[in-house]
Amino acid sequence: YEFLSLVLGRDRGRALLAARLGASALDPVDELLSEALRFEAAEPPSLQGFVRWIEGSGRDIKRENDAGIRNEVRIMTVHGAKGLQAPIVVLADAASDPNPARNRQNLFWDQGFGPIWSPSAANADPRTRMLHAAAAERRLQEHNRLLYVALTRAEDRLIIAGCAPGKGRSLTGSWWERIGPAMDALDAERVEAGAPDLPGVVRRVVRPQRAPVARPTLTVQSVTAATLPAFALTPPAPEPARPKPLSPSEPLAQPGRASPLRSGSTRLSALRRGRLVHTLLQVLPTLAPEERGSTAARLLAQPVHGLDATAQAELAAEVLAVLDDPQFQAIFAAGSQAEVPIVGRVGRHTVAGRIDRLAVAPDRVLLVDIKTDRPPPATVEQTAPAHLGQLALYHALLSALYPDRPVEAALLWTDGPRLMPVPAHVLARHLPE
């Protein structure tokens, strides 16, 4: 919202759009800002996420009828005019064919025969002619429903117009034919005009005169800069910068993550291996124990991973050893969750991250971060501060979320495998200031 507001306000985007497209272009702009506020209230702030959210919403925006205020004429379909009104409404095409050839149905579904293709009712059998007739009746009913909508849009005056049909066509079934008798009964004014090369018919309907409505008198006072208070001429101070969401997987002392290609193939291989371990530990616990080995083998054998038979067997054995170890049962038991997104505030920092494994029990919460470092550190004191800082942020968020039970944090080293509990007082030392 702040980004869009800056583009539209400070950078004059709103004024440029209005100059280019007219004042009517500002309605969707205002709605876009409202959507941005709704998105930020429900989702983590992300421009890419907002674009995807808008694309997937499928919402239509109905513009309010303010044509009288803007002194403009709007050309609309009857569908688009639903829910709107204006002092004067013109039905410009009331003499059109309600059943033009381009709208006629050619493909039908018959319960007894299935799909039937029939371009013309003239050469169809009796059963298919009934299908054509039913389709034409449905189109006519929709045509008449739109007529009701069109007739009820005018506040003061309704003008009904249309061009006389050409040779071989008639007004039968048109809005003009249906409206004509009623308007004649009301003694409405009729005006017909035309020329030999352009025959036309215009019918104007004027409602009975109504007593004029008293309107309030407005007093306009001239306003100059001298009469305005000081705050009206002073630009507002810039809003404080929103803190960048802190990703716990990134060390606090580094502004970004280094490219995996920068330190050569060893770094790239370690990243690929870590992703595969996380994927296996996310998928395999959902399967029966007897299915895990074959599933891991099939996944690791895919050519996209580029692993030889030895690497596949080694990686599968490492992951299966974690799942088969009794000390890890609570981490991967039924009801535990993998890759749990979490967003919140720790001190002055906004945190947005993803927990590798989370198990919430009635008496405790178990938080586990999976690490694939080789070789792993022997003690908590030897663990990289970045790993402990990440775990500390997750621990702080979960402690605030579950104040009624202890939150236990641990690092799971897949090389071993080994579970390393990390005490709360150690985590407290690694929280950001």
Side-chain angles (χ1 to χ4, degrees), residues 46-133:
S46 162
L47 187 58
Q48 182 178 359
F50 177 60
V51 171
R52 183 175 181 181
W53 189 67
I54 288 289
E55 291 176 342
S57 66
R59 292 182 63 247
D60 292 329
I61 301 172
K62 168 88 54 185
R63 177 184 166 193
E64 295 299 328
N65 183 28
D66 50 7
I69 300 174
R70 291 179 174 172
N71 192 26
E72 63 187 15
V73 176
R74 297 177 62 187
I75 301 175
M76 309 177 65
T77 64
V78 178
H79 277 291
K82 287 182 179 179
L84 304 180
Q85 281 195 320
I88 300 174
V89 171
V90 179
L91 304 189
D93 193 19
S96 61
D97 184 357
N99 192 22
R102 66 178 180 274
N103 292 339
R104 290 172 189 166
Q105 187 174 343
N106 296 322
L107 182 62
F108 304 91
W109 178 266
D110 185 273
Q111 294 294 339
F113 295 92
I116 297 176
W117 172 259
S118 176
S120 172
N123 301 322
D125 61 275
R127 189 183 187 97
T128 306
R129 281 199 296 271
M130 292 177 58
L131 297 176
H132 275 282

XYZ file of all heavy atoms in Angstrom, residues 46-133:
683
model
N 4.206 -8.656 0.416
C 5.001 -9.152 -0.701
C 4.344 -8.662 -1.974
O 3.164 -8.934 -2.216
C 5.053 -10.686 -0.693
O 5.446 -11.191 -1.950
N 5.093 -7.927 -2.800
C 4.527 -7.416 -4.040
C 4.164 -8.559 -4.982
O 3.116 -8.540 -5.630
C 5.528 -6.458 -4.711
C 5.014 -5.710 -5.937
C 3.786 -4.882 -5.599
C 6.112 -4.830 -6.525
N 5.023 -9.568 -5.045
C 4.721 -10.722 -5.894
C 3.476 -11.455 -5.391
O 2.611 -11.851 -6.184
C 5.916 -11.671 -5.923
C 5.709 -12.892 -6.827
C 6.931 -13.786 -6.860
O 7.934 -13.502 -6.229
N 6.847 -14.868 -7.596
N 3.374 -11.610 -4.077
C 2.185 -12.251 -3.527
C 0.921 -11.448 -3.780
O -0.147 -12.013 -4.035
N 1.045 -10.107 -3.738
C -0.127 -9.261 -3.988
C -0.595 -9.386 -5.434
O -1.788 -9.477 -5.709
C 0.238 -7.809 -3.664
C -0.859 -6.821 -3.952
C -2.086 -6.931 -3.322
C -0.660 -5.790 -4.850
C -3.110 -6.021 -3.582
C -1.667 -4.875 -5.119
C -2.889 -5.004 -4.479
N 0.359 -9.415 -6.368
C -0.006 -9.564 -7.785
C -0.702 -10.899 -8.007
O -1.733 -10.980 -8.694
C 1.249 -9.438 -8.666
C 0.920 -9.800 -10.116
C 1.817 -8.032 -8.594
N -0.170 -11.951 -7.419
C -0.805 -13.265 -7.577
C -2.184 -13.284 -6.923
O -3.121 -13.886 -7.433
C 0.098 -14.333 -6.961
C -0.437 -15.742 -7.129
C 0.541 -16.753 -6.616
N 0.039 -18.104 -6.794
C 0.687 -19.200 -6.421
N 1.888 -19.099 -5.883
N 0.161 -20.392 -6.606
N -2.329 -12.603 -5.794
C -3.610 -12.547 -5.080
C -4.655 -11.822 -5.923
O -5.802 -12.247 -6.013
C -3.382 -11.837 -3.749
C -4.517 -11.867 -2.793
C -5.029 -12.957 -2.144
C -5.275 -10.742 -2.341
N -6.042 -12.581 -1.311
C -6.225 -11.225 -1.411
C -5.242 -9.385 -2.611
C -7.128 -10.393 -0.768
C -6.137 -8.558 -1.965
C -7.064 -9.060 -1.063
N -4.241 -10.731 -6.565
C -5.166 -9.982 -7.430
C -5.561 -10.829 -8.632
O -6.738 -10.905 -9.009
C -4.519 -8.660 -7.887
C -4.454 -7.664 -6.708
C -5.285 -8.050 -9.039
C -5.794 -7.108 -6.296
N -4.574 -11.482 -9.264
C -4.872 -12.279 -10.451
C -5.814 -13.436 -10.135
O -6.626 -13.827 -10.968
C -3.580 -12.819 -11.058
C -2.708 -11.738 -11.690
C -1.397 -12.293 -12.200
O -1.025 -13.411 -11.764
O -0.734 -11.632 -13.016
N -5.703 -13.986 -8.939
C -6.531 -15.135 -8.594
C -7.860 -14.794 -7.957
O -8.684 -15.675 -7.702
N -8.099 -13.485 -7.692
C -9.333 -13.123 -6.987
C -10.558 -13.233 -7.873
O -11.638 -13.600 -7.421
C -9.216 -11.707 -6.421
O -9.144 -10.751 -7.479
N -10.421 -12.878 -9.160
C -11.560 -12.945 -10.075
C -12.677 -11.981 -9.743
O -13.827 -12.182 -10.128
N -12.376 -10.896 -9.021
C -13.410 -9.951 -8.609
C -13.653 -8.915 -9.695
O -12.741 -8.513 -10.414
C -13.012 -9.232 -7.315
C -12.987 -10.130 -6.107
C -12.625 -9.355 -4.845
N -13.620 -8.341 -4.534
C -13.386 -7.040 -4.594
N -12.210 -6.598 -4.938
N -14.331 -6.179 -4.293
N -14.911 -8.505 -9.820
C -15.286 -7.416 -10.717
C -15.604 -6.178 -9.880
O -16.165 -6.283 -8.785
C -16.513 -7.780 -11.554
C -16.203 -8.876 -12.555
O -15.050 -8.925 -13.000
O -17.105 -9.669 -12.858
N -15.240 -5.027 -10.403
C -15.464 -3.751 -9.705
C -16.610 -3.033 -10.380
O -16.587 -2.790 -11.586
C -14.199 -2.885 -9.713
C -13.040 -3.624 -9.029
C -14.461 -1.558 -9.039
C -11.725 -2.908 -9.164
N -17.633 -2.704 -9.627
C -18.784 -1.954 -10.148
C -18.600 -0.487 -9.788
O -18.486 -0.117 -8.628
C -20.074 -2.496 -9.535
C -21.284 -1.628 -9.772
C -22.035 -1.885 -11.025
C -22.505 -3.222 -11.316
N -23.116 -3.270 -12.677
N -18.576 0.358 -10.816
C -18.400 1.793 -10.587
C -19.730 2.417 -10.206
O -20.767 2.137 -10.815
C -17.856 2.448 -11.858
C -17.703 3.952 -11.731
C -17.255 4.546 -13.047
N -17.423 5.985 -13.047
C -17.357 6.718 -14.140
N -17.130 6.144 -15.295
N -17.529 8.016 -14.080
N -19.722 3.240 -9.182
C -20.938 3.914 -8.762
C -21.356 4.953 -9.801
O -20.531 5.515 -10.515
C -20.708 4.610 -7.403
C -20.445 3.637 -6.267
C -21.599 2.695 -6.037
O -22.760 3.100 -6.261
O -21.365 1.539 -5.655
N -22.644 5.196 -9.873
C -23.163 6.128 -10.869
C -23.013 7.564 -10.382
O -23.796 8.043 -9.570
C -24.642 5.826 -11.151
C -25.175 6.735 -12.239
O -24.434 7.177 -13.090
N -26.466 6.995 -12.207
N -21.990 8.228 -10.864
C -21.783 9.630 -10.506
C -21.669 10.480 -11.765
O -20.981 11.490 -11.799
C -20.532 9.819 -9.645
C -19.325 9.126 -10.276
O -19.450 8.635 -11.411
O -18.262 9.109 -9.626
N -22.382 10.019 -12.836
C -22.289 10.755 -14.096
C -22.793 12.182 -13.948
O -22.297 13.106 -14.581
C -23.085 10.020 -15.184
N -23.825 12.395 -13.116
C -24.343 13.743 -12.940
C -23.327 14.664 -12.316
O -23.274 15.853 -12.613
N -22.503 14.129 -11.414
C -21.489 14.941 -10.762
C -20.378 15.284 -11.741
O -19.865 16.398 -11.784
C -20.937 14.198 -9.540
C -22.057 13.908 -8.540
C -19.810 14.975 -8.890
C -21.623 13.058 -7.365
N -20.012 14.323 -12.585
C -18.889 14.539 -13.487
C -19.327 15.138 -14.820
O -18.508 15.360 -15.684
C -18.173 13.203 -13.724
C -17.451 12.709 -12.472
C -16.771 11.395 -12.716
N -15.976 11.009 -11.552
C -15.391 9.830 -11.401
N -15.525 8.918 -12.332
N -14.695 9.551 -10.327
N -20.630 15.328 -15.035
C -21.117 15.976 -16.251
C -20.627 15.231 -17.484
O -19.911 15.777 -18.333
C -20.678 17.445 -16.303
C -21.426 18.203 -17.396
O -22.530 17.837 -17.778
N -20.806 19.254 -17.905
N -20.997 13.964 -17.587
C -20.527 13.155 -18.680
C -21.621 12.210 -19.136
O -22.612 11.986 -18.430
C -19.299 12.333 -18.266
C -19.583 11.340 -17.151
C -18.337 10.652 -16.643
O -17.235 11.140 -16.944
O -18.469 9.635 -15.957
N -21.459 11.683 -20.335
C -22.369 10.688 -20.895
C -21.642 9.346 -20.892
O -20.506 9.254 -21.368
C -22.793 11.061 -22.332
C -23.655 9.956 -22.939
C -23.551 12.382 -22.332
N -22.308 8.355 -20.375
C -21.699 7.033 -20.303
C -22.422 6.094 -21.260
O -23.650 6.003 -21.260
C -21.767 6.476 -18.881
C -21.006 7.299 -17.877
C -21.164 6.746 -16.479
N -20.620 5.401 -16.380
C -20.751 4.640 -15.295
N -21.436 5.074 -14.268
N -20.223 3.441 -15.263
N -21.667 5.378 -22.073
C -22.213 4.381 -22.992
C -21.948 3.010 -22.386
O -20.784 2.629 -22.178
C -21.565 4.503 -24.387
C -21.811 5.902 -24.948
C -22.100 3.437 -25.328
C -21.120 6.156 -26.261
N -23.013 2.272 -22.101
C -22.891 1.022 -21.359
C -23.785 -0.038 -21.970
O -24.755 0.261 -22.666
C -23.295 1.210 -19.885
C -22.627 2.367 -19.185
S -23.218 2.545 -17.497
C -22.617 1.016 -16.783
N -23.453 -1.294 -21.675
C -24.385 -2.383 -21.946
C -25.423 -2.428 -20.835
O -25.217 -1.859 -19.745
C -23.654 -3.727 -22.008
O -23.089 -4.005 -20.712
C -22.535 -3.693 -23.048
N -26.520 -3.101 -21.088
C -27.537 -3.230 -20.042
C -26.981 -4.033 -18.874
O -27.261 -3.742 -17.703
C -28.810 -3.879 -20.617
C -29.858 -4.050 -19.524
C -29.361 -3.043 -21.756
N -26.183 -5.040 -19.172
C -25.564 -5.817 -18.098
C -24.739 -4.904 -17.192
O -24.796 -4.998 -15.967
C -24.669 -6.910 -18.687
C -25.400 -8.148 -19.082
N -25.966 -9.000 -18.161
C -25.667 -8.663 -20.305
C -26.539 -10.014 -18.794
N -26.379 -9.831 -20.088
N -23.956 -4.010 -17.801
C -23.112 -3.128 -17.012
C -23.871 -2.085 -16.231
O -23.361 -1.523 -15.271
N -25.121 -1.811 -16.635
C -25.914 -0.785 -15.968
C -26.694 -1.314 -14.775
O -27.377 -0.535 -14.108
C -26.889 -0.157 -16.962
N -26.635 -2.605 -14.519
C -27.379 -3.156 -13.385
C -26.960 -2.464 -12.096
O -25.786 -2.298 -11.797
C -27.127 -4.661 -13.268
C -27.813 -5.485 -14.333
C -27.565 -6.966 -14.125
C -28.286 -7.801 -15.178
N -28.038 -9.250 -15.007
N -27.950 -2.056 -11.309
C -27.679 -1.398 -10.039
C -27.416 0.083 -10.135
O -27.244 0.744 -9.113
N -27.389 0.661 -11.347
C -27.111 2.084 -11.530
C -28.359 2.817 -11.997
O -29.282 2.211 -12.543
C -25.990 2.281 -12.551
C -24.661 1.571 -12.274
C -23.672 1.859 -13.371
C -24.095 1.981 -10.925
N -28.379 4.122 -11.797
C -29.462 4.970 -12.287
C -28.882 6.300 -12.743
O -27.798 6.703 -12.303
C -30.528 5.195 -11.213
C -31.491 4.021 -11.048
C -32.723 4.404 -10.262
O -32.640 5.134 -9.293
N -33.869 3.907 -10.694
N -29.615 6.967 -13.642
C -29.208 8.275 -14.136
C -30.463 9.087 -14.426
O -31.535 8.513 -14.672
C -28.358 8.134 -15.400
N -30.395 10.428 -14.408
C -31.587 11.252 -14.693
C -32.182 10.956 -16.064
O -33.400 10.902 -16.225
C -31.056 12.681 -14.594
C -29.852 12.583 -13.706
C -29.240 11.255 -14.000
N -31.343 10.784 -17.080
C -31.824 10.529 -18.443
C -31.150 9.252 -18.946
O -29.923 9.112 -18.860
C -31.499 11.703 -19.388
C -32.153 12.986 -18.884
C -31.946 11.390 -20.814
C -31.770 14.208 -19.685
N -31.958 8.345 -19.463
C -31.444 7.098 -20.020
C -31.977 6.938 -21.437
O -33.176 7.142 -21.686
C -31.858 5.887 -19.159
C -31.504 4.584 -19.862
C -31.171 5.955 -17.798
N -31.107 6.594 -22.373
C -31.477 6.373 -23.768
C -31.229 4.911 -24.105
O -30.103 4.422 -23.957
C -30.655 7.278 -24.713
C -31.046 7.007 -26.168
C -30.857 8.739 -24.365
N -32.299 4.198 -24.526
C -32.139 2.856 -25.081
C -31.938 3.028 -26.575
O -32.888 3.223 -27.332
C -33.366 1.997 -24.788
C -33.773 1.837 -23.312
C -34.864 0.791 -23.183
C -32.571 1.475 -22.466
N -30.704 2.971 -27.017
C -30.374 3.373 -28.386
C -30.629 2.270 -29.406
O -30.640 2.542 -30.604
C -28.904 3.801 -28.451
N -30.845 1.039 -28.975
C -30.961 -0.056 -29.931
C -32.130 -0.957 -29.569
O -31.991 -2.166 -29.466
C -29.652 -0.864 -29.946
C -29.568 -1.817 -31.125
O -30.301 -1.610 -32.100
O -28.779 -2.775 -31.049
N -33.305 -0.354 -29.387
C -34.478 -1.124 -28.950
C -35.124 -1.899 -30.083
O -36.018 -2.709 -29.829
C -35.507 -0.175 -28.332
N -34.713 -1.680 -31.323
C -35.334 -2.357 -32.459
C -34.513 -3.528 -32.970
O -34.802 -4.065 -34.029
C -35.556 -1.364 -33.596
N -33.505 -3.950 -32.240
C -32.637 -5.028 -32.721
C -33.331 -6.380 -32.598
O -34.270 -6.562 -31.807
C -31.327 -5.045 -31.931
O -31.595 -5.263 -30.565
N -32.853 -7.323 -33.371
C -33.398 -8.687 -33.396
C -33.049 -9.374 -32.077
O -31.869 -9.449 -31.704
C -32.796 -9.449 -34.574
C -33.394 -10.840 -34.732
O -34.225 -11.228 -33.889
O -33.019 -11.534 -35.691
N -34.040 -9.888 -31.334
C -33.719 -10.551 -30.062
C -33.064 -11.911 -30.248
O -32.566 -12.486 -29.288
C -35.092 -10.698 -29.400
C -36.045 -10.774 -30.536
C -35.490 -9.859 -31.593
N -33.061 -12.424 -31.465
C -32.524 -13.761 -31.693
C -31.632 -13.762 -32.942
O -31.929 -14.445 -33.916
C -33.673 -14.762 -31.859
C -33.184 -16.198 -31.809
O -32.122 -16.478 -31.265
N -33.934 -17.089 -32.427
N -30.551 -12.978 -32.945
C -29.705 -12.916 -34.140
C -29.014 -14.241 -34.405
O -28.828 -15.059 -33.493
C -28.692 -11.820 -33.803
C -28.645 -11.801 -32.307
C -30.026 -12.146 -31.849
N -28.637 -14.438 -35.652
C -28.039 -15.716 -36.039
C -26.761 -16.002 -35.271
O -26.463 -17.159 -34.951
C -27.774 -15.713 -37.550
N -26.000 -14.954 -34.922
C -24.725 -15.188 -34.240
C -24.912 -15.729 -32.833
O -23.978 -16.280 -32.247
C -23.913 -13.897 -34.197
C -24.519 -12.810 -33.344
C -23.649 -11.572 -33.305
N -24.219 -10.518 -32.494
C -25.095 -9.635 -32.927
N -25.515 -9.682 -34.191
N -25.587 -8.701 -32.118
N -26.099 -15.547 -32.264
C -26.360 -16.025 -30.906
C -27.125 -17.347 -30.867
O -27.415 -17.843 -29.793
C -27.145 -14.976 -30.115
C -26.317 -13.738 -29.834
O -25.095 -13.799 -29.869
N -26.975 -12.630 -29.585
N -27.464 -17.869 -32.026
C -28.249 -19.091 -32.040
C -27.380 -20.286 -31.685
O -26.220 -20.381 -32.083
C -28.907 -19.284 -33.411
C -30.013 -18.256 -33.659
C -30.536 -18.293 -35.064
N -31.441 -17.159 -35.293
C -31.840 -16.766 -36.485
N -31.424 -17.400 -37.567
N -32.647 -15.726 -36.605
N -27.978 -21.195 -30.973
C -27.254 -22.354 -30.466
C -27.193 -23.434 -31.533
O -28.163 -23.704 -32.231
C -27.957 -22.880 -29.207
C -27.213 -23.990 -28.493
C -27.896 -24.338 -27.187
O -28.706 -23.580 -26.685
N -27.580 -25.492 -26.643
N -26.018 -24.054 -31.679
C -25.829 -25.126 -32.658
C -25.576 -26.483 -32.024
O -25.826 -27.513 -32.640
C -24.648 -24.791 -33.587
C -24.906 -23.555 -34.413
O -26.028 -23.332 -34.862
N -23.880 -22.744 -34.612
N -25.048 -26.474 -30.811
C -24.717 -27.727 -30.130
C -25.665 -27.905 -28.950
O -25.809 -27.012 -28.121
C -23.265 -27.698 -29.640
C -22.759 -28.969 -28.959
C -22.792 -30.160 -29.914
C -21.341 -28.762 -28.434
N -26.298 -29.070 -28.890
C -27.286 -29.354 -27.843
C -26.915 -30.647 -27.128
O -26.163 -31.474 -27.662
C -28.695 -29.494 -28.448
C -29.132 -28.300 -29.246
C -28.884 -28.219 -30.606
C -29.794 -27.253 -28.630
C -29.285 -27.128 -31.343
C -30.197 -26.149 -29.361
C -29.941 -26.087 -30.720
N -27.482 -30.781 -25.931
C -27.319 -32.031 -25.176
C -28.696 -32.621 -24.923
O -29.548 -31.996 -24.304
C -26.604 -31.780 -23.849
C -26.473 -33.044 -23.044
C -27.304 -33.502 -22.080
C -25.440 -34.023 -23.180
N -26.880 -34.691 -21.587
C -25.723 -35.057 -22.251
C -24.315 -34.138 -23.986
C -24.908 -36.176 -22.108
C -23.512 -35.255 -23.838
C -23.805 -36.249 -22.916
N -28.888 -33.815 -25.432
C -30.151 -34.515 -25.259
C -29.939 -35.670 -24.298
O -28.986 -36.458 -24.461
C -30.667 -35.032 -26.608
C -32.045 -35.657 -26.495
O -32.114 -36.863 -26.192
O -33.043 -34.941 -26.703
N -30.792 -35.751 -23.285
C -30.621 -36.783 -22.264
C -30.661 -38.192 -22.851
O -30.033 -39.108 -22.346
C -31.699 -36.633 -21.176
C -31.591 -35.363 -20.359
C -30.326 -35.330 -19.510
O -29.734 -36.368 -19.216
N -29.905 -34.137 -19.129
N -31.431 -38.368 -23.931
C -31.537 -39.706 -24.502
C -30.474 -40.031 -25.525
O -30.104 -41.198 -25.703
N -29.946 -38.995 -26.220
C -29.016 -39.247 -27.325
C -27.625 -38.677 -27.087
O -26.701 -38.997 -27.821
C -29.578 -38.641 -28.626
C -30.843 -39.291 -29.099
C -32.066 -38.779 -28.714
C -30.818 -40.412 -29.908
C -33.243 -39.364 -29.144
C -31.988 -41.006 -30.333
C -33.217 -40.494 -29.948
N -27.474 -37.802 -26.102
C -26.175 -37.187 -25.871
C -26.021 -35.919 -26.685
O -26.990 -35.220 -26.981
N -24.775 -35.565 -27.101
C -24.551 -34.311 -27.839
C -25.133 -34.379 -29.254
O -25.021 -35.408 -29.942
C -23.026 -34.179 -27.867
C -22.518 -35.563 -27.699
C -23.513 -36.289 -26.851
N -25.745 -33.279 -29.690
C -26.338 -33.188 -31.031
C -25.875 -31.887 -31.669
O -26.041 -30.810 -31.091
C -27.880 -33.216 -30.969
C -28.372 -34.548 -30.394
C -28.476 -32.986 -32.355
C -29.870 -34.606 -30.226
N -25.279 -31.983 -32.865
C -24.872 -30.801 -33.613
C -25.925 -30.522 -34.674
O -26.186 -31.352 -35.534
C -23.514 -31.026 -34.270
C -23.115 -29.923 -35.204
C -23.192 -29.928 -36.556
C -22.588 -28.653 -34.840
N -22.750 -28.743 -37.074
C -22.374 -27.926 -36.031
C -22.290 -28.040 -33.616
C -21.864 -26.641 -36.049
C -21.781 -26.766 -33.639
C -21.570 -26.074 -34.836
N -26.527 -29.338 -34.626
C -27.596 -28.994 -35.555
C -27.526 -27.511 -35.860
O -28.068 -26.690 -35.115
C -28.962 -29.358 -34.961
O -30.008 -28.955 -35.817
N -26.887 -27.102 -36.956
C -26.752 -25.676 -37.262
C -28.072 -25.002 -37.587
O -28.199 -23.792 -37.432
C -25.815 -25.663 -38.477
C -25.157 -26.999 -38.483
C -26.137 -27.950 -37.897
N -29.059 -25.736 -38.065
C -30.308 -25.110 -38.494
C -31.488 -25.955 -38.046
O -31.452 -27.194 -38.120
C -30.321 -24.951 -40.016
O -31.581 -24.513 -40.465
N -32.556 -25.269 -37.588
C -33.767 -25.995 -37.196
C -34.604 -26.403 -38.400
O -35.449 -27.299 -38.311
C -34.605 -25.127 -36.254
N -34.367 -25.767 -39.562
C -35.207 -26.039 -40.736
C -35.055 -27.474 -41.211
O -36.026 -28.111 -41.636
C -34.840 -25.062 -41.853
N -33.819 -27.982 -41.121
C -33.572 -29.331 -41.629
C -33.453 -30.364 -40.515
O -32.961 -31.468 -40.751
C -32.287 -29.341 -42.471
C -32.352 -28.395 -43.647
O -33.415 -28.261 -44.270
N -31.246 -27.729 -43.947
N -33.885 -30.022 -39.320
C -33.733 -30.920 -38.177
C -34.960 -31.819 -38.044
O -36.041 -31.525 -38.551
C -33.521 -30.112 -36.902
N -34.759 -32.918 -37.329
C -35.879 -33.808 -37.028
C -36.734 -33.178 -35.932
O -36.320 -32.204 -35.290
C -35.353 -35.175 -36.573
C -34.522 -35.060 -35.317
O -33.293 -34.772 -35.419
O -35.088 -35.211 -34.222
N -37.945 -33.710 -35.687
C -38.839 -33.081 -34.697
C -38.215 -32.946 -33.321
O -38.417 -31.928 -32.643
C -40.051 -34.010 -34.706
C -40.054 -34.630 -36.062
C -38.617 -34.794 -36.430
N -37.455 -33.939 -32.883
C -36.874 -33.867 -31.533
C -35.851 -32.731 -31.448
O -35.804 -31.986 -30.473
C -36.222 -35.204 -31.180
C -35.782 -35.304 -29.731
C -35.085 -36.616 -29.450
N -34.806 -36.788 -28.039
C -35.560 -37.479 -27.203
N -36.676 -38.047 -27.635
N -35.228 -37.601 -25.924
N -35.036 -32.590 -32.504
C -34.027 -31.532 -32.489
C -34.666 -30.161 -32.642
O -34.188 -29.170 -32.074
C -32.992 -31.774 -33.597
O -32.456 -33.096 -33.462
C -31.852 -30.778 -33.510
N -35.767 -30.079 -33.419
C -36.469 -28.804 -33.529
C -37.000 -28.354 -32.170
O -37.041 -27.152 -31.871
C -37.606 -28.922 -34.544
C -37.131 -28.833 -35.988
C -38.282 -28.479 -36.929
N -39.299 -29.518 -36.946
C -39.287 -30.568 -37.778
N -38.292 -30.695 -38.659
N -40.256 -31.462 -37.750
N -37.400 -29.293 -31.337
C -37.843 -28.943 -29.976
C -36.675 -28.358 -29.174
O -36.859 -27.418 -28.388
C -38.410 -30.176 -29.276
C -39.716 -30.686 -29.859
S -40.268 -32.198 -29.039
C -40.376 -31.644 -27.341
N -35.477 -28.911 -29.370
C -34.307 -28.364 -28.672
C -34.013 -26.947 -29.152
O -33.666 -26.064 -28.350
C -33.092 -29.270 -28.897
C -33.193 -30.692 -28.339
C -31.959 -31.496 -28.730
C -33.343 -30.666 -26.823
N -34.114 -26.703 -30.462
C -33.922 -25.356 -30.990
C -34.946 -24.393 -30.399
O -34.617 -23.263 -30.014
C -34.054 -25.378 -32.518
C -32.788 -25.728 -33.228
N -31.765 -24.838 -33.426
C -32.387 -26.906 -33.797
C -30.782 -25.419 -34.095
N -31.134 -26.687 -34.342
N -36.225 -24.849 -30.355
C -37.281 -23.983 -29.834
C -37.056 -23.663 -28.366
O -37.269 -22.523 -27.917
C -38.639 -24.644 -30.039
